[in-house]
Amino acid sequence: MTFTCRGIILKIENFRESDYLLDFYSEEHGKLEIIVQGARKIKSKLVGLCQPFVLLNLVIASGKRNHLIGGKGIKYFRNIWTNYQKIKYAKNILDL
């Protein structure tokens, strides 16, 4: 079963050899753990979706674990990336 949800990435961790494990907060489903298979490979198409401070619309396959199938960036908060202090404050807010 697949579903679409809109939200923001809270945390990105390395998982296994070439995967990422995302903590994703969505409006509809709350906090989700999502595995992005093969995201650390050179030719990965999903690695562009694994960025903090981006509002995303993701397509997720649910099962034993949630897996990322695809998605699209809705809004990129570029003003956060221009200043180190803003990055630090935004990271602290996401950690809370």
Side-chain angles (χ1 to χ4, degrees):
M1 181 176 99
T2 62
F3 61 94
T4 305
C5 60
R6 178 181 172 167
I8 191 164
I9 294 175
L10 301 176
K11 186 167 73 170
I12 303 168
E13 294 179 1
N14 292 338
F15 184 73
R16 296 191 182 146
E17 187 174 323
S18 62
D19 303 338
Y20 280 139
L21 181 65
L22 305 178
D23 283 343
F24 184 75
Y25 183 78
S26 69
E27 297 171 346
E28 302 90 14
H29 302 286
K31 186 176 175 185
L32 299 170
E33 279 193 349
I34 302 170
I35 294 176
V36 185
Q37 291 181 331
R40 292 178 11 203
K41 292 183 179 178
I42 294 171
K43 294 186 178 184
S44 174
K45 296 179 181 176
L46 298 175
V47 73
L49 298 172
C50 301
Q51 298 177 11
F53 317 126
V54 178
L55 184 63
L56 299 166
N57 196 10
L58 298 181
V59 179
I60 300 169
S62 64
K64 230 178 204 184
R65 292 197 168 207
N66 295 324
H67 294 276
L68 181 65
I69 296 174
K72 185 177 181 182
I74 298 170
K75 182 171 182 179
Y76 297 90
F77 299 101
R78 296 187 195 275
N79 56 349
I80 294 175
W81 289 104
T82 59
N83 188 347
Y84 178 72
Q85 289 294 330
K86 290 181 182 179
I87 293 172
K88 201 162 109 176
Y89 292 142
K91 175 70 175 132
N92 288 336
I93 289 170
L94 289 180
D95 286 341
L96 293 175

